Amino acid sequence: QITCNPLLPSSNKMEPQAKRRKEMDKYDTWDVLPVLSDEQSRDTELLPTYAAPIIEKRQTSRLVKELSLIYPLPGLQHIKRVRACKDKSTPHPLEVIVCLARDVQVIDCKEVTLADLLHSQSFDSIGLGEPFLVKIPANPSLTRPQFEKDKQVTSALRGQLFTAEQKAKVQEYMTAAVEAGEPEQIVAVGHDCKCGSHPLHHAVMVCIDLMACGQGGGAYNYEKYPVCRFSSSESFRNACYAKETGQPYICTGYDLYVTGEPCVMCAMALVHTRIKRVFYGAPSIDGAFGTKYKIHLQKDLNHHFEVYEGVMRNACEALFKIDR
């Protein structure tokens, strides 16, 4: 079962849910976790590197030029060879990267000297102090938009992206998806109908078609499924039409709440209908939003959206056990 709702102003309030919903909520603890790309998910790789203080500032240009010839740093264009010393107590304001630790062979128990790093090279070390180990990032830092996005992701992982009120609303909508009810402000509610009317009528596909029905379209009739409903109110119709474009894609600006992780077919349907965000409860074996694929993060797609997992996971998993 799924529900789909628009991004509504905070002034719109939902009616209190049934007591049995509250009872069910007591036994389900969960966090809203973003489904990230592999790039975002991986830990930052750090490379052990030897650096040395520049004790004669006027030698800086020569030192950088000669070190670049002896020890180039391929693939590390994002690294500045010279940087200000992090230790403010040092009398030398600058330090320079000499080489990557993997580029030299030294005995582990031995204290490395500048001579160890440059002994086989015709290098004038005047202006350099003794080396020390530091770690530098192996990959470039994020662009500003990526940085802002990363801050949002970090907040989500820490449980800080959604306020208590927002999380409560997420739970209200997911509860409606679990029960396939129709509380106020939810514009379409549907469930899996593939065993009855059509093999492609997965819950997400049903809900998208119901959204189309609410906008004067739709391809199928769901009279046999009373739980599958859409809002035909004037306020909903008005919300579905953007003043700038006249008629947006079916799910533009809407959130989707689905108990199980959508498959590839449903995921691509959500791309084409321009969904805003997806919240799902339980993972699926062939899930397309994190388990097997990450459709929403494919760079070549012309629409991208946020996906969050784990909402009321226990209740959603229990629902699937009942269905089986």
Side-chain angles (χ1 to χ4, degrees), residues 227-266:
V227 171
C228 298
R229 307 172 186 174
F230 64 88
S231 173
S232 58
S233 68
E234 188 65 27
S235 60
F236 168 56
R237 289 180 179 274
N238 291 338
C240 291
Y241 292 88
K243 294 180 180 179
E244 298 83 1
T245 60
Q247 184 175 4
Y249 285 87
I250 296 173
C251 296
T252 299
Y254 283 74
D255 288 346
L256 174 77
Y257 294 83
V258 56
T259 54
E261 183 183 358
C263 65
V264 172
M265 175 185 70
C266 294

mmCIF file of all heavy atoms in Angstrom, residues 227-266:
data_model
loop_
_atom_site.group_PDB
_atom_site.id
_atom_site.type_symbol
_atom_site.label_atom_id
_atom_site.label_comp_id
_atom_site.label_asym_id
_atom_site.label_seq_id
_atom_site.Cartn_x
_atom_site.Cartn_y
_atom_site.Cartn_z
ATOM 1 N N VAL A 227 -10.281 0.393 -1.465
ATOM 2 C CA VAL A 227 -9.205 1.085 -0.750
ATOM 3 C C VAL A 227 -8.421 2.005 -1.698
ATOM 4 O O VAL A 227 -7.857 3.011 -1.281
ATOM 5 C CB VAL A 227 -8.262 0.058 -0.090
ATOM 6 C CG1 VAL A 227 -7.023 0.734 0.479
ATOM 7 C CG2 VAL A 227 -8.995 -0.675 1.035
ATOM 8 N N CYS A 228 -8.382 1.651 -2.983
ATOM 9 C CA CYS A 228 -7.647 2.458 -3.964
ATOM 10 C C CYS A 228 -8.469 3.685 -4.338
ATOM 11 O O CYS A 228 -9.475 3.580 -5.042
ATOM 12 C CB CYS A 228 -7.340 1.630 -5.211
ATOM 13 S SG CYS A 228 -6.287 0.203 -4.899
ATOM 14 N N ARG A 229 -8.064 4.818 -3.868
ATOM 15 C CA ARG A 229 -8.846 6.035 -4.046
ATOM 16 C C ARG A 229 -7.964 7.209 -4.418
ATOM 17 O O ARG A 229 -6.760 7.190 -4.197
ATOM 18 C CB ARG A 229 -9.590 6.382 -2.754
ATOM 19 C CG ARG A 229 -10.429 5.246 -2.191
ATOM 20 C CD ARG A 229 -10.955 5.604 -0.822
ATOM 21 N NE ARG A 229 -11.652 4.489 -0.202
ATOM 22 C CZ ARG A 229 -12.109 4.502 1.048
ATOM 23 N NH1 ARG A 229 -11.907 5.566 1.798
ATOM 24 N NH2 ARG A 229 -12.735 3.458 1.541
ATOM 25 N N PHE A 230 -8.581 8.238 -4.957
ATOM 26 C CA PHE A 230 -7.883 9.491 -5.229
ATOM 27 C C PHE A 230 -8.791 10.643 -4.836
ATOM 28 O O PHE A 230 -10.012 10.492 -4.726
ATOM 29 C CB PHE A 230 -7.505 9.604 -6.711
ATOM 30 C CG PHE A 230 -8.690 9.667 -7.643
ATOM 31 C CD1 PHE A 230 -9.284 10.883 -7.971
ATOM 32 C CD2 PHE A 230 -9.217 8.500 -8.198
ATOM 33 C CE1 PHE A 230 -10.370 10.936 -8.818
ATOM 34 C CE2 PHE A 230 -10.310 8.548 -9.053
ATOM 35 C CZ PHE A 230 -10.888 9.765 -9.373
ATOM 36 N N SER A 231 -8.180 11.769 -4.596
ATOM 37 C CA SER A 231 -8.944 12.957 -4.221
ATOM 38 C C SER A 231 -9.428 13.663 -5.472
ATOM 39 O O SER A 231 -8.671 13.894 -6.403
ATOM 40 C CB SER A 231 -8.074 13.911 -3.393
ATOM 41 O OG SER A 231 -8.750 15.124 -3.170
ATOM 42 N N SER A 232 -10.691 14.005 -5.493
ATOM 43 C CA SER A 232 -11.253 14.738 -6.626
ATOM 44 C C SER A 232 -11.641 16.151 -6.227
ATOM 45 O O SER A 232 -12.395 16.824 -6.916
ATOM 46 C CB SER A 232 -12.491 13.999 -7.172
ATOM 47 O OG SER A 232 -13.457 13.846 -6.136
ATOM 48 N N SER A 233 -11.118 16.603 -5.071
ATOM 49 C CA SER A 233 -11.470 17.925 -4.573
ATOM 50 C C SER A 233 -10.896 19.022 -5.460
ATOM 51 O O SER A 233 -9.886 18.845 -6.139
ATOM 52 C CB SER A 233 -10.953 18.095 -3.143
ATOM 53 O OG SER A 233 -9.548 18.129 -3.138
ATOM 54 N N GLU A 234 -11.526 20.162 -5.438
ATOM 55 C CA GLU A 234 -11.088 21.300 -6.240
ATOM 56 C C GLU A 234 -9.707 21.777 -5.800
ATOM 57 O O GLU A 234 -8.885 22.169 -6.621
ATOM 58 C CB GLU A 234 -12.097 22.446 -6.110
ATOM 59 C CG GLU A 234 -11.841 23.610 -7.068
ATOM 60 C CD GLU A 234 -12.008 23.200 -8.532
ATOM 61 O OE1 GLU A 234 -12.779 22.259 -8.795
ATOM 62 O OE2 GLU A 234 -11.351 23.822 -9.385
ATOM 63 N N SER A 235 -9.433 21.726 -4.477
ATOM 64 C CA SER A 235 -8.130 22.164 -3.977
ATOM 65 C C SER A 235 -7.018 21.291 -4.530
ATOM 66 O O SER A 235 -5.931 21.760 -4.855
ATOM 67 C CB SER A 235 -8.106 22.140 -2.451
ATOM 68 O OG SER A 235 -8.345 20.817 -1.976
ATOM 69 N N PHE A 236 -7.297 19.972 -4.664
ATOM 70 C CA PHE A 236 -6.295 19.071 -5.214
ATOM 71 C C PHE A 236 -6.062 19.378 -6.685
ATOM 72 O O PHE A 236 -4.928 19.446 -7.163
ATOM 73 C CB PHE A 236 -6.732 17.625 -5.037
ATOM 74 C CG PHE A 236 -5.913 16.636 -5.832
ATOM 75 C CD1 PHE A 236 -4.540 16.582 -5.677
ATOM 76 C CD2 PHE A 236 -6.516 15.777 -6.729
ATOM 77 C CE1 PHE A 236 -3.780 15.679 -6.404
ATOM 78 C CE2 PHE A 236 -5.765 14.875 -7.453
ATOM 79 C CZ PHE A 236 -4.409 14.829 -7.290
ATOM 80 N N ARG A 237 -7.154 19.601 -7.422
ATOM 81 C CA ARG A 237 -7.007 19.909 -8.844
ATOM 82 C C ARG A 237 -6.195 21.187 -9.040
ATOM 83 O O ARG A 237 -5.365 21.286 -9.923
ATOM 84 C CB ARG A 237 -8.374 20.040 -9.499
ATOM 85 C CG ARG A 237 -9.111 18.714 -9.647
ATOM 86 C CD ARG A 237 -10.470 18.917 -10.302
ATOM 87 N NE ARG A 237 -11.165 17.654 -10.456
ATOM 88 C CZ ARG A 237 -11.000 16.835 -11.491
ATOM 89 N NH1 ARG A 237 -10.128 17.145 -12.433
ATOM 90 N NH2 ARG A 237 -11.664 15.703 -11.577
ATOM 91 N N ASN A 238 -6.462 22.169 -8.199
ATOM 92 C CA ASN A 238 -5.717 23.427 -8.311
ATOM 93 C C ASN A 238 -4.242 23.234 -7.996
ATOM 94 O O ASN A 238 -3.377 23.852 -8.602
ATOM 95 C CB ASN A 238 -6.304 24.476 -7.360
ATOM 96 C CG ASN A 238 -7.687 24.930 -7.801
ATOM 97 O OD1 ASN A 238 -8.042 24.793 -8.979
ATOM 98 N ND2 ASN A 238 -8.462 25.457 -6.869
ATOM 99 N N ALA A 239 -3.956 22.357 -7.046
ATOM 100 C CA ALA A 239 -2.572 22.110 -6.658
ATOM 101 C C ALA A 239 -1.796 21.401 -7.755
ATOM 102 O O ALA A 239 -0.578 21.480 -7.811
ATOM 103 C CB ALA A 239 -2.520 21.277 -5.379
ATOM 104 N N CYS A 240 -2.501 20.712 -8.647
ATOM 105 C CA CYS A 240 -1.858 19.924 -9.680
ATOM 106 C C CYS A 240 -1.469 20.741 -10.906
ATOM 107 O O CYS A 240 -0.869 20.219 -11.833
ATOM 108 C CB CYS A 240 -2.766 18.772 -10.119
ATOM 109 S SG CYS A 240 -2.966 17.513 -8.853
ATOM 110 N N TYR A 241 -1.852 21.995 -10.952
ATOM 111 C CA TYR A 241 -1.548 22.820 -12.111
ATOM 112 C C TYR A 241 -0.676 23.990 -11.706
ATOM 113 O O TYR A 241 -1.043 24.806 -10.868
ATOM 114 C CB TYR A 241 -2.843 23.315 -12.763
ATOM 115 C CG TYR A 241 -3.622 22.197 -13.389
ATOM 116 C CD1 TYR A 241 -4.548 21.469 -12.641
ATOM 117 C CD2 TYR A 241 -3.395 21.825 -14.712
ATOM 118 C CE1 TYR A 241 -5.242 20.406 -13.207
ATOM 119 C CE2 TYR A 241 -4.093 20.763 -15.287
ATOM 120 C CZ TYR A 241 -5.019 20.065 -14.533
ATOM 121 O OH TYR A 241 -5.688 19.017 -15.086
ATOM 122 N N ALA A 242 0.502 24.051 -12.284
ATOM 123 C CA ALA A 242 1.433 25.126 -11.972
ATOM 124 C C ALA A 242 1.124 26.338 -12.844
ATOM 125 O O ALA A 242 0.869 26.219 -14.036
ATOM 126 C CB ALA A 242 2.871 24.667 -12.235
ATOM 127 N N LYS A 243 1.114 27.512 -12.252
ATOM 128 C CA LYS A 243 0.799 28.730 -12.991
ATOM 129 C C LYS A 243 1.813 28.973 -14.111
ATOM 130 O O LYS A 243 1.482 29.473 -15.170
ATOM 131 C CB LYS A 243 0.778 29.924 -12.034
ATOM 132 C CG LYS A 243 -0.347 29.866 -11.012
ATOM 133 C CD LYS A 243 -0.315 31.079 -10.103
ATOM 134 C CE LYS A 243 -1.438 31.018 -9.084
ATOM 135 N NZ LYS A 243 -1.404 32.179 -8.160
ATOM 136 N N GLU A 244 3.084 28.615 -13.862
ATOM 137 C CA GLU A 244 4.125 28.909 -14.833
ATOM 138 C C GLU A 244 4.029 28.012 -16.068
ATOM 139 O O GLU A 244 4.253 28.446 -17.191
ATOM 140 C CB GLU A 244 5.511 28.722 -14.198
ATOM 141 C CG GLU A 244 5.799 29.651 -13.023
ATOM 142 C CD GLU A 244 5.230 29.127 -11.717
ATOM 143 O OE1 GLU A 244 4.631 28.036 -11.750
ATOM 144 O OE2 GLU A 244 5.364 29.815 -10.699
ATOM 145 N N THR A 245 3.716 26.727 -15.876
ATOM 146 C CA THR A 245 3.755 25.774 -16.987
ATOM 147 C C THR A 245 2.379 25.318 -17.435
ATOM 148 O O THR A 245 2.259 24.648 -18.447
ATOM 149 C CB THR A 245 4.570 24.540 -16.582
ATOM 150 O OG1 THR A 245 3.950 23.926 -15.440
ATOM 151 C CG2 THR A 245 5.997 24.921 -16.231
ATOM 152 N N GLY A 246 1.329 25.673 -16.694
ATOM 153 C CA GLY A 246 -0.005 25.243 -17.065
ATOM 154 C C GLY A 246 -0.321 23.868 -16.525
ATOM 155 O O GLY A 246 -1.263 23.686 -15.782
ATOM 156 N N GLN A 247 0.469 22.846 -16.899
ATOM 157 C CA GLN A 247 0.236 21.484 -16.409
ATOM 158 C C GLN A 247 1.568 20.775 -16.224
ATOM 159 O O GLN A 247 2.243 20.437 -17.189
ATOM 160 C CB GLN A 247 -0.628 20.701 -17.408
ATOM 161 C CG GLN A 247 -0.985 19.312 -16.886
ATOM 162 C CD GLN A 247 -1.928 18.593 -17.820
ATOM 163 O OE1 GLN A 247 -2.254 19.093 -18.884
ATOM 164 N NE2 GLN A 247 -2.359 17.410 -17.431
ATOM 165 N N PRO A 248 1.957 20.520 -14.985
ATOM 166 C CA PRO A 248 3.224 19.839 -14.724
ATOM 167 C C PRO A 248 3.069 18.337 -14.909
ATOM 168 O O PRO A 248 1.995 17.836 -15.207
ATOM 169 C CB PRO A 248 3.490 20.178 -13.262
ATOM 170 C CG PRO A 248 2.113 20.258 -12.672
ATOM 171 C CD PRO A 248 1.253 20.859 -13.752
ATOM 172 N N TYR A 249 4.166 17.611 -14.719
ATOM 173 C CA TYR A 249 4.067 16.159 -14.725
ATOM 174 C C TYR A 249 3.200 15.703 -13.544
ATOM 175 O O TYR A 249 3.013 16.425 -12.573
ATOM 176 C CB TYR A 249 5.465 15.541 -14.632
ATOM 177 C CG TYR A 249 6.246 15.636 -15.917
ATOM 178 C CD1 TYR A 249 7.010 16.767 -16.196
ATOM 179 C CD2 TYR A 249 6.221 14.596 -16.850
ATOM 180 C CE1 TYR A 249 7.734 16.855 -17.381
ATOM 181 C CE2 TYR A 249 6.941 14.683 -18.028
ATOM 182 C CZ TYR A 249 7.694 15.819 -18.292
ATOM 183 O OH TYR A 249 8.401 15.906 -19.462
ATOM 184 N N ILE A 250 2.711 14.480 -13.632
ATOM 185 C CA ILE A 250 1.682 13.986 -12.719
ATOM 186 C C ILE A 250 2.012 14.186 -11.243
ATOM 187 O O ILE A 250 1.181 14.615 -10.455
ATOM 188 C CB ILE A 250 1.410 12.494 -12.994
ATOM 189 C CG1 ILE A 250 0.828 12.325 -14.395
ATOM 190 C CG2 ILE A 250 0.441 11.909 -11.969
ATOM 191 C CD1 ILE A 250 0.674 10.876 -14.829
ATOM 192 N N CYS A 251 3.243 13.841 -10.837
ATOM 193 C CA CYS A 251 3.586 13.858 -9.412
ATOM 194 C C CYS A 251 4.544 14.994 -9.036
ATOM 195 O O CYS A 251 5.221 14.909 -8.008
ATOM 196 C CB CYS A 251 4.199 12.516 -9.012
ATOM 197 S SG CYS A 251 3.072 11.119 -9.161
ATOM 198 N N THR A 252 4.597 16.031 -9.837
ATOM 199 C CA THR A 252 5.493 17.148 -9.548
ATOM 200 C C THR A 252 5.197 17.748 -8.180
ATOM 201 O O THR A 252 4.059 18.128 -7.885
ATOM 202 C CB THR A 252 5.351 18.245 -10.622
ATOM 203 O OG1 THR A 252 5.702 17.693 -11.896
ATOM 204 C CG2 THR A 252 6.262 19.423 -10.321
ATOM 205 N N GLY A 253 6.218 17.833 -7.333
ATOM 206 C CA GLY A 253 6.069 18.454 -6.019
ATOM 207 C C GLY A 253 5.446 17.575 -4.958
ATOM 208 O O GLY A 253 5.138 18.052 -3.871
ATOM 209 N N TYR A 254 5.269 16.282 -5.240
ATOM 210 C CA TYR A 254 4.604 15.396 -4.281
ATOM 211 C C TYR A 254 5.580 14.423 -3.626
ATOM 212 O O TYR A 254 6.631 14.107 -4.175
ATOM 213 C CB TYR A 254 3.493 14.595 -4.965
ATOM 214 C CG TYR A 254 2.256 15.423 -5.208
ATOM 215 C CD1 TYR A 254 2.229 16.381 -6.213
ATOM 216 C CD2 TYR A 254 1.123 15.266 -4.421
ATOM 217 C CE1 TYR A 254 1.108 17.156 -6.430
ATOM 218 C CE2 TYR A 254 -0.006 16.039 -4.630
ATOM 219 C CZ TYR A 254 -0.009 16.989 -5.636
ATOM 220 O OH TYR A 254 -1.104 17.761 -5.848
ATOM 221 N N ASP A 255 5.204 13.947 -2.444
ATOM 222 C CA ASP A 255 5.937 12.909 -1.725
ATOM 223 C C ASP A 255 5.224 11.578 -1.903
ATOM 224 O O ASP A 255 3.997 11.535 -1.969
ATOM 225 C CB ASP A 255 6.006 13.208 -0.231
ATOM 226 C CG ASP A 255 6.937 14.363 0.089
ATOM 227 O OD1 ASP A 255 7.723 14.771 -0.773
ATOM 228 O OD2 ASP A 255 6.868 14.854 1.227
ATOM 229 N N LEU A 256 5.991 10.498 -1.943
ATOM 230 C CA LEU A 256 5.434 9.149 -2.020
ATOM 231 C C LEU A 256 5.814 8.386 -0.758
ATOM 232 O O LEU A 256 6.976 8.397 -0.352
ATOM 233 C CB LEU A 256 5.987 8.426 -3.242
ATOM 234 C CG LEU A 256 5.596 6.953 -3.372
ATOM 235 C CD1 LEU A 256 4.169 6.830 -3.863
ATOM 236 C CD2 LEU A 256 6.553 6.231 -4.311
ATOM 237 N N TYR A 257 4.838 7.724 -0.146
ATOM 238 C CA TYR A 257 5.081 6.871 1.027
ATOM 239 C C TYR A 257 4.681 5.457 0.646
ATOM 240 O O TYR A 257 3.525 5.195 0.315
ATOM 241 C CB TYR A 257 4.258 7.351 2.224
ATOM 242 C CG TYR A 257 4.687 8.703 2.714
ATOM 243 C CD1 TYR A 257 4.211 9.867 2.093
ATOM 244 C CD2 TYR A 257 5.585 8.833 3.758
ATOM 245 C CE1 TYR A 257 4.627 11.114 2.522
ATOM 246 C CE2 TYR A 257 6.002 10.081 4.191
ATOM 247 C CZ TYR A 257 5.518 11.218 3.565
ATOM 248 O OH TYR A 257 5.934 12.454 3.984
ATOM 249 N N VAL A 258 5.635 4.543 0.658
ATOM 250 C CA VAL A 258 5.377 3.175 0.222
ATOM 251 C C VAL A 258 5.976 2.215 1.246
ATOM 252 O O VAL A 258 7.081 2.412 1.732
ATOM 253 C CB VAL A 258 5.961 2.933 -1.195
ATOM 254 C CG1 VAL A 258 7.436 3.249 -1.244
ATOM 255 C CG2 VAL A 258 5.703 1.519 -1.664
ATOM 256 N N THR A 259 5.222 1.182 1.573
ATOM 257 C CA THR A 259 5.660 0.260 2.622
ATOM 258 C C THR A 259 6.869 -0.554 2.209
ATOM 259 O O THR A 259 7.734 -0.851 3.035
ATOM 260 C CB THR A 259 4.510 -0.690 3.004
ATOM 261 O OG1 THR A 259 4.031 -1.343 1.818
ATOM 262 C CG2 THR A 259 3.369 0.075 3.651
ATOM 263 N N GLY A 260 6.949 -0.941 0.918
ATOM 264 C CA GLY A 260 8.068 -1.729 0.433
ATOM 265 C C GLY A 260 8.878 -0.971 -0.609
ATOM 266 O O GLY A 260 8.351 -0.139 -1.340
ATOM 267 N N GLU A 261 10.160 -1.266 -0.683
ATOM 268 C CA GLU A 261 11.041 -0.611 -1.654
ATOM 269 C C GLU A 261 10.576 -0.907 -3.078
ATOM 270 O O GLU A 261 10.401 -2.064 -3.455
ATOM 271 C CB GLU A 261 12.463 -1.130 -1.449
ATOM 272 C CG GLU A 261 13.499 -0.490 -2.348
ATOM 273 C CD GLU A 261 14.871 -1.106 -2.141
ATOM 274 O OE1 GLU A 261 15.015 -1.998 -1.264
ATOM 275 O OE2 GLU A 261 15.807 -0.713 -2.867
ATOM 276 N N PRO A 262 10.366 0.118 -3.907
ATOM 277 C CA PRO A 262 9.884 -0.085 -5.273
ATOM 278 C C PRO A 262 10.867 -0.855 -6.151
ATOM 279 O O PRO A 262 12.080 -0.824 -5.943
ATOM 280 C CB PRO A 262 9.698 1.348 -5.794
ATOM 281 C CG PRO A 262 9.479 2.170 -4.559
ATOM 282 C CD PRO A 262 10.385 1.549 -3.539
ATOM 283 N N CYS A 263 10.315 -1.529 -7.180
ATOM 284 C CA CYS A 263 11.129 -2.248 -8.151
ATOM 285 C C CYS A 263 11.622 -1.263 -9.217
ATOM 286 O O CYS A 263 11.308 -0.070 -9.188
ATOM 287 C CB CYS A 263 10.319 -3.367 -8.798
ATOM 288 S SG CYS A 263 8.924 -2.749 -9.798
ATOM 289 N N VAL A 264 12.366 -1.770 -10.203
ATOM 290 C CA VAL A 264 12.919 -0.904 -11.254
ATOM 291 C C VAL A 264 11.798 -0.252 -12.078
ATOM 292 O O VAL A 264 11.871 0.935 -12.412
ATOM 293 C CB VAL A 264 13.864 -1.706 -12.176
ATOM 294 C CG1 VAL A 264 14.281 -0.865 -13.377
ATOM 295 C CG2 VAL A 264 15.090 -2.160 -11.407
ATOM 296 N N MET A 265 10.788 -1.027 -12.431
ATOM 297 C CA MET A 265 9.678 -0.479 -13.216
ATOM 298 C C MET A 265 9.029 0.697 -12.485
ATOM 299 O O MET A 265 8.826 1.780 -13.063
ATOM 300 C CB MET A 265 8.618 -1.558 -13.482
ATOM 301 C CG MET A 265 7.364 -1.029 -14.183
ATOM 302 S SD MET A 265 6.075 -2.281 -14.370
ATOM 303 C CE MET A 265 5.539 -2.475 -12.662
ATOM 304 N N CYS A 266 8.727 0.504 -11.204
ATOM 305 C CA CYS A 266 8.078 1.556 -10.427
ATOM 306 C C CYS A 266 9.015 2.747 -10.221
ATOM 307 O O CYS A 266 8.593 3.906 -10.250
ATOM 308 C CB CYS A 266 7.628 1.011 -9.076
ATOM 309 S SG CYS A 266 6.315 -0.233 -9.206
#
